[in-house]
Amino acid sequence: MENLDLDKQIENAVVEMAKNPQNPEGYHNLAQLYLEKTDYDKVMSVLESLLAIHPNDIEALVGMGTMWFYEKDFRKSLSYYNKALELNPKNFLIYYNIGNVFAEWKNFAKALFYYNRAIDLNSTNPEIYNAIALLYADFEDYIESKAYYEKALSLDPENITALVDMGN
């Protein structure tokens, strides 16, 4: 039944988009619904359509960067994130995502640089500290890793990632 409801929401979102194809919110809404349905090809198609008419839409650029990240095409991912960063250099999430790309490439210095910029903009997000902790663990610096997990837990004592990883 839940899937049927989601299909109906998608159908309604498509109709709304058709009524006002220049409104980026319609695209964002539809992409979110497809994401909930785990139809990633359609998410990317909707975001590409949005970027064709609004090439500087930050949310769509970050969304495409994230989609390519999960597809393991880190170069494409980074190109979308860099474009978003040019347009909005005060968005911590963009720095965090770029840090994730460099972490995947095992480029410790660049990953740490971008994670630290994310912290400069949002020092209360425990996921940034978790990412740094994992980065240090990947490079076998377990003392630093533990310190960053502890920082994440100081911000969110129920943080599952930090609790699980600290146990390992």
Side-chain angles (χ1 to χ4, degrees):
M1 189 69 195
E2 196 174 301
N3 218 12
L4 195 59
D5 185 47
L6 189 55
D7 289 338
K8 186 67 176 163
Q9 288 178 47
I10 289 170
E11 187 180 308
N12 291 340
V14 169
V15 169
E16 286 303 311
M17 247 178 57
K19 289 180 186 174
N20 189 357
Q22 294 297 313
N23 181 2
E25 286 313 305
Y27 293 86
H28 293 298
N29 184 35
L30 185 58
Q32 183 60 42
L33 291 169
Y34 281 133
L35 192 60
E36 288 175 30
K37 191 173 178 169
T38 65
D39 190 339
Y40 303 123
D41 289 338
K42 287 192 177 164
V43 171
M44 292 175 82
S45 177
V46 169
L47 294 177
E48 285 173 346
S49 296
L50 173 55
L51 289 170
I53 55 174
H54 295 286
N56 293 336
D57 187 290
I58 304 284
E59 191 175 331
L61 289 165
V62 172
M64 284 299 290
T66 301
M67 296 307 296
W68 284 116
F69 181 86
Y70 287 117
E71 290 287 324
K72 304 272 189 230
D73 190 332
F74 303 119
R75 289 194 191 291
K76 278 187 183 176
S77 177
L78 189 58
S79 72
Y80 281 102
Y81 292 147
N82 280 333
K83 173 76 170 162
L85 189 60
E86 286 174 26
L87 298 168
N88 187 355
K90 299 286 185 198
N91 185 325
F92 85 94
L93 186 58
I94 299 169
Y95 288 97
Y96 172 75
N97 288 334
I98 292 173
N100 289 340
V101 170
F102 284 109
E104 283 293 324
W105 281 334
K106 304 296 184 207
N107 186 326
F108 180 88
K110 282 194 174 183
L112 190 58
F113 171 83
Y114 283 100
Y115 289 147
N116 281 324
R117 296 298 72 74
I119 287 172
D120 290 344
L121 297 169
N122 184 347
S123 63
T124 61
N125 186 310
E127 295 312 313
I128 303 168
Y129 297 98
N130 283 335
I132 294 172
L134 184 59
L135 185 67
Y136 276 109
D138 282 350
F139 286 87
E140 299 181 5
D141 186 340
Y142 301 112
I143 294 170
E144 281 296 315
S145 179
K146 183 176 187 257
Y148 279 97
Y149 282 130
E150 288 171 348
K151 177 63 177 176
L153 288 170
S154 76
L155 296 168
D156 176 11
E158 303 297 313
N159 188 283
I160 298 297
T161 302
L163 288 169
V164 169
D165 289 353
M166 286 270 294
N168 294 331

